[in-house]
Amino acid sequence: MPMAPPPDLSSLSLAEIVQAMEAQKLPPVSQWNPSHCGDSEMRIARDGTWFHQGSPITRPAMVRLFSTILRREPDGRHVLVTPVEKLDIAVEDAPFVAVAMKAEGEGRDGRLVFQLNTGDLVAAGPAHPLRFVEGEDGPRPYLHVRDGLEALIARPVYYELAERALVGDDQVPGVWSDTVFFPLTDATAA
């Protein structure tokens, strides 16, 4: 069964985005516990490109399909899992990249929805927090996607977040989404 193409975030209203998010159905990978079978010979680069045996996977539908069976193990490893096999996959940073953002509302009433490189939609909030890590190349923002899997927020999208944070009170720069305030600073740096 072919996967539907990802939605165009810019053309959707917040109500349509919520409806699309609710329609996203993922396999129950957390319930599958097959024996470890080896290495998938796959890797996800920092920019979100998926590779198999050193060559990029150029079919977006294939990447979307693989992303639905991706799981993070308690020891931090990433695996592709089905009911009958579990294969390691190398992840350079985060397995997903947030490539677009739609913001509605202001202040405490604000809501931020991110579109991932796989087409998935994720609304920042209590179940999907934002976090910021200071790196050598500046802040690296992340969005929790599901079950320990995160999305690195692409630099242009981070700039949109920063612009949104600068509009407001003279308090700690940050953004609101789904009644949660996310400071744009590394909480571990303090």
Side-chain angles (χ1 to χ4, degrees), residues 94-175:
F96 303 105
V97 177
V99 296
M101 179 183 79
K102 183 157 191 162
E104 290 193 7
E106 295 294 328
R108 291 179 187 268
D109 297 325
R111 188 149 197 210
L112 305 172
V113 176
F114 296 86
Q115 186 164 39
L116 308 183
N117 58 323
T118 56
D120 294 311
L121 301 172
V122 180
H128 303 282
L130 294 169
R131 72 179 181 95
F132 299 84
V133 177
E134 275 304 318
E136 291 179 12
D137 57 348
R140 290 189 335 228
Y142 294 91
L143 170 68
H144 180 263
V145 176
R146 64 177 184 268
D147 302 323
L149 299 174
E150 291 185 310
L152 175 66
I153 297 174
R155 189 64 58 189
V157 179
Y158 171 68
Y159 292 148
E160 288 181 56
L161 276 175
E163 282 182 29
R164 191 165 175 80
L166 297 176
V167 178
D169 300 335
D170 290 337
Q171 58 186 0
V172 174
V175 292

Side-chain angles (χ1 to χ4, degrees), residues 45-108:
R46 186 172 197 257
D47 69 357
T49 303
W50 288 57
F51 291 85
H52 180 254
Q53 296 181 335
S55 297
I57 299 173
T58 57
R59 293 179 50 202
M62 186 68 78
V63 169
R64 282 195 306 277
L65 180 63
F66 281 130
S67 75
T68 66
I69 60 168
L70 183 65
R71 180 171 83 190
R72 187 155 191 192
E73 298 289 87
D75 65 6
R77 289 180 305 126
H78 291 85
V79 294
L80 296 172
V81 64
T82 71
V84 296
E85 67 182 349
K86 180 176 13 175
L87 301 168
D88 291 323
I89 180 170
V91 177
E92 290 180 1
D93 190 347
F96 303 105
V97 177
V99 296
M101 179 183 79
K102 183 157 191 162
E104 290 193 7
E106 295 294 328
R108 291 179 187 268

